[in-house]
Amino acid sequence: MQLRYSFRLYPNGPQRAALARAFGCARVVYNDALRAREDARSAGSPFPRSGDLSKMLITEAKKTPEREWLSNAPVGVLQQSLRDLDAAYKNFFDGLKGKRPRMGAPRFKSKRDNRQAVRYTRSDRWKITPGRDLHLPKVGAVRVKWSRTLPSDPSSVTVIKDAAGRYFCSFVVETGPETLPETTGQVGIDLGLSHFAVLSDGTKVDSPRFLRRAERKLKKAQQALSRKAKGSNNRAKARVKVARAHARTADARREFHHQLSTKIIRENQAVAVEDLAVKGLARTRMAKSVHDAGWSAFTTMLEYKAARYGRTFIRIGRFEPTSQVCSQCGVKDGPKPLRIRVWECGACGAVLDRDINAAVNVAKAAGLAVSACGARVRPGLVPAQRDETGTHRDGQPTVVGILSL
């Protein structure tokens, strides 16, 4: 399978200027190609092919005074921009045909976009130096903070600049399966807001609420940004401070997701989650808390880690009534408002924790063999049968208070 490995880059001043030129050249070629294809579409002509665009927008354009500065970027970076545009059009048309989720048509890029990126291929002759620096053509050797070793030799590297002004290098590499030792654990997970995750074994993971905790600092930084004059250098600095504050929150959330998902995958052979309608929940009054939780990112991590380490990952349907069914007897007790966290089954009398009961039902709906004892808060009072009431004496069937016939 293919995995992406990202590392932090620390370019110096001249290297940042060289990368800015590469970002600009790649962006201009992309926009020129998009304009050529949109003009052809408006005129009812067939789309120009990538080979013709490469010759017209790169080879011939470098010979003109208006585009001679395209020589500041390696030719492989410019050609990769055309391939990225081809991929954007393919994804757009596949979405219209129902082959993948729908996405918007390719749009023009701006130098003010939050994210700038270029991709270097092997034809550009980039390399990792013996001193563990990343050597990029027309940029030089850039210092990299390596957090782990690449499992295989990558064929390309993408250099990214985010809204906070940080630089990253991203490698896509082929990795083989890494099977973990088998375990007997099987768990269902109920995702929520008061608790981020509740497992069918009774474990509850508190919601960190990273955005809520950082709201005060974010508000202060945003207010400082709003007071700066538009177009001024102080406004640009304030914008970077806001972006860095949001980046710290996103990084903390991502680290929490990685640690929890790795722990669950290592301890369980099979994991089941519910397919939540996140887009629908994001349109309610709980939208900020829903986005702060990041359920989709967490379940995606569970899915690819399960595939990588030989575990079983199951999604159950979002219409499964996991919060309405008693995990003890299987009787559907009907919907309940969110304020009810503990409820009593009207059929068997079991007093159930709402979240743990839902997690157990998630596991059962996925066909996992889990115990339902974790869902019970305390044993319910089950009415005795008439012939079992009272006090029996000397083994006689006579019951106190009831005449024998």
Side-chain angles (χ1 to χ4, degrees):
M1 63 182 301
Q2 289 186 333
L3 292 179
R4 183 179 298 279
Y5 284 69
S6 295
F7 306 94
R8 184 76 180 271
L9 278 179
Y10 294 92
N12 56 30
Q15 291 171 344
R16 288 196 294 270
L19 287 173
R21 288 192 292 268
F23 293 146
C25 292
R27 181 178 62 250
V28 166
V29 170
Y30 183 96
N31 289 343
D32 287 347
L34 180 56
R35 171 55 61 195
R37 288 187 168 175
E38 288 299 306
D39 290 344
R41 182 184 64 83
S42 301
S45 304
F47 271 15
R49 295 179 298 179
S50 297
D52 298 334
L53 290 175
S54 177
K55 182 179 179 180
M56 177 179 62
L57 301 178
I58 299 177
T59 307
E60 296 178 357
K62 287 182 179 180
K63 302 175 184 178
T64 63
E66 295 81 7
R67 290 286 191 267
E68 62 180 358
W69 42 264
L70 289 177
S71 302
N72 293 328
V75 66
V77 168
L78 305 181
Q79 291 173 344
Q80 185 61 46
S81 279
L82 299 179
R83 287 192 285 268
D84 291 342
L85 180 61
D86 289 340
Y89 270 112
K90 182 179 184 303
N91 293 337
F92 171 64
F93 289 128
D94 286 348
L96 296 179
K97 297 174 183 177
K99 296 180 180 179
R100 55 166 295 146
R102 284 205 173 194
M103 60 185 304
R107 66 171 184 83
F108 292 98
K109 295 184 178 181
S110 170
K111 64 179 180 180
R112 295 179 179 84
D113 286 344
N114 291 334
R115 183 180 182 274
Q116 302 285 342
V118 290
R119 185 174 296 113
Y120 294 86
T121 59
R122 279 300 182 192
S123 63
D124 297 318
R125 298 187 178 181
W126 66 271
K127 63 180 179 179
I128 299 175
T129 66
R132 304 295 291 166
D133 290 337
L134 179 62
H135 186 276
L136 300 173
K138 300 190 178 183
V139 177
V142 186
R143 186 165 63 92
V144 184
K145 185 175 182 181
W146 300 98
S147 57
R148 49 186 172 173
T149 305
L150 292 175
S152 62
D153 190 23
S155 59
S156 65
V157 58
T158 303
V159 178
I160 304 165
K161 181 185 177 184
D162 66 2
R166 303 178 301 177
Y167 291 83
F168 298 89
C169 59
S170 176
F171 305 91
V172 176
V173 296
E174 289 285 346
T175 60
E178 301 179 23
T179 305
L180 291 173
E182 289 194 8
T183 179
T184 58
Q186 296 182 348
V187 68
I189 304 176
D190 178 64
L191 299 174
L193 296 177
S194 57
H195 290 90
F196 175 77
V198 178
L199 310 186
S200 56
D201 60 4
T203 303
K204 293 186 176 183
V205 181
D206 290 333
S207 180
R209 300 183 180 182
F210 294 105
L211 182 61
R212 296 288 187 182
R213 286 160 47 187
E215 271 186 333
R216 187 174 181 181
K217 291 183 178 179
L218 289 170
K219 180 180 178 181
K220 186 176 180 180
Q222 189 65 49
Q223 286 176 341
L225 172 63
S226 65
R227 296 189 182 102
K228 301 296 186 293
K230 291 186 177 181
S232 65
N233 290 334
N234 285 337
R235 185 177 179 85
K237 295 176 183 178
R239 184 201 61 78
V240 172
K241 288 184 179 180
V242 173
R244 286 177 178 172
H246 279 287
R248 283 192 293 269
T249 303
D251 290 345
R253 183 187 299 112
R254 189 182 305 109
E255 181 67 15
F256 168 74
H257 288 166
H258 272 298
Q259 291 182 357
L260 180 59
S261 59
T262 299
K263 182 176 184 295
I264 291 175
I265 290 297
R266 288 186 180 276
E267 295 177 355
N268 298 279
Q269 189 67 31
V271 179
V273 297
E274 188 176 4
D275 184 21
L276 297 174
V278 178
K279 287 186 178 180
L281 293 171
R283 289 192 287 266
T284 65
R285 59 184 178 85
M286 301 181 294
K288 184 181 289 187
S289 297
V290 170
H291 287 304
D292 191 14
W295 296 325
S296 296
F298 176 71
T299 54
T300 300
M301 290 181 186
L302 284 175
E303 187 172 11
Y304 87 77
K305 289 179 182 180
R308 181 182 182 186
Y309 295 114
R311 303 305 201 200
T312 302
F313 178 82
I314 305 170
R315 289 181 188 265
I316 69 167
R318 63 183 59 175
F319 299 108
E320 195 73 27
T322 56
S323 297
Q324 304 177 24
V325 176
C326 174
S327 59
Q328 304 287 321
C329 62
V331 173
K332 186 176 180 180
D333 207 17
K336 303 164 189 63
L338 290 176
R339 67 176 181 272
I340 297 179
R341 310 314 302 174
V342 177
W343 58 284
E344 181 178 354
C345 177
C348 66
V351 181
L352 306 166
D353 181 285
R354 179 192 183 105
D355 297 329
I356 300 178
N357 178 74
V360 173
N361 286 331
V362 167
K364 288 186 173 182
L368 304 184
V370 297
S371 173
C373 60
R376 177 174 290 184
V377 175
R378 66 177 184 271
L381 299 177
V382 181
Q385 299 296 322
R386 182 176 179 86
D387 58 354
E388 295 177 352
T389 59
T391 303
H392 294 264
R393 296 180 178 178
D394 302 328
Q396 300 296 322
T398 304
V399 179
V400 175
I402 301 179
L403 299 176
S404 57
L405 299 179

